[in-house]
Amino acid sequence: MKKIRAFLSLNLEDSVKIRIAEIQKELQKKLDEYPVKWENPEKFHLTLRFLGDVNFKDAENLKDELGNINWSFKSLRFTSNGIGFFPNPGKPNVVYIGLDEEIGHGRIECCDGHCDQVARTQEARECRGNNDRICD
């Protein structure tokens, strides 16, 4: 069965992507000796839930289920709580901006039950508590 590496995310406004791209340029200079895969700013997003490697059909079903939820908000506000590194600061492969939520958390939590049915891997379970971040 075909599997994909999946996550639930939100798109960011262009102004946010531009600011993150500026931060990314500064970090590239400081982390040039590490194997960080730097993404194009067009791919920047807010990861709500990492699902791991899931069956393509399960991901499509989740997409349909989440599409049926009444998302009754136009925007969410977050503040940054710093920059993080995955798997760790000594050997970063991914750089992310950690977030503190100001508004909207309960609205986002409503998708957790749907995601739990799909996110069956250990990796996805370990990431569950660390998902509110902007990834590049």
Side-chain angles (χ1 to χ4, degrees):
M1 183 168 284
K2 181 179 179 182
K3 292 198 173 219
I4 60 170
R5 193 153 184 86
F7 56 91
L8 179 64
S9 67
L10 297 176
N11 293 327
L12 300 171
E13 293 180 359
D14 287 341
S15 61
V16 173
K17 290 180 181 182
I18 290 168
R19 179 63 185 124
I20 295 170
E22 292 168 357
I23 295 167
Q24 181 184 49
K25 285 180 186 175
E26 293 173 33
L27 287 171
Q28 283 174 318
K29 293 174 191 172
K30 294 179 180 180
L31 299 173
D32 66 342
E33 64 195 69
Y34 297 99
V36 176
K37 181 180 180 275
W38 300 101
E39 291 290 351
N40 181 314
E42 289 300 314
K43 290 179 142 183
F44 292 165
H45 59 275
L46 172 61
T47 300
L48 300 177
R49 184 75 188 274
F50 174 71
L51 302 173
D53 294 325
V54 301
N55 292 329
F56 181 79
K57 185 171 177 62
D58 289 342
E60 285 293 313
N61 289 340
L62 177 62
K63 179 181 169 186
D64 292 342
E65 288 178 30
L66 295 175
N68 291 326
I69 293 175
N70 180 12
W71 300 98
S72 60
F73 57 94
K74 293 181 182 179
S75 65
L76 299 172
R77 287 188 298 198
F78 294 87
T79 55
S80 170
N81 65 16
I83 293 173
F85 305 94
F86 185 82
N88 62 61
K91 188 179 180 187
N93 293 335
V94 174
V95 178
Y96 64 88
I97 299 172
L99 302 176
D100 289 325
E101 181 182 13
E102 295 177 7
I103 294 178
H105 188 67
R107 295 173 183 157
I108 293 172
E109 280 183 337
C110 71
C111 67
D112 277 345
H114 298 285
C115 293
D116 284 341
Q117 296 172 22
V118 175
R120 297 184 182 108
T121 67
Q122 179 68 27
E123 183 182 24
R125 288 191 297 273
E126 289 173 358
C127 287
R128 180 151 194 239
N130 191 21
N131 284 302
D132 293 336
R133 61 189 187 198
I134 297 175
C135 297
D136 71 357

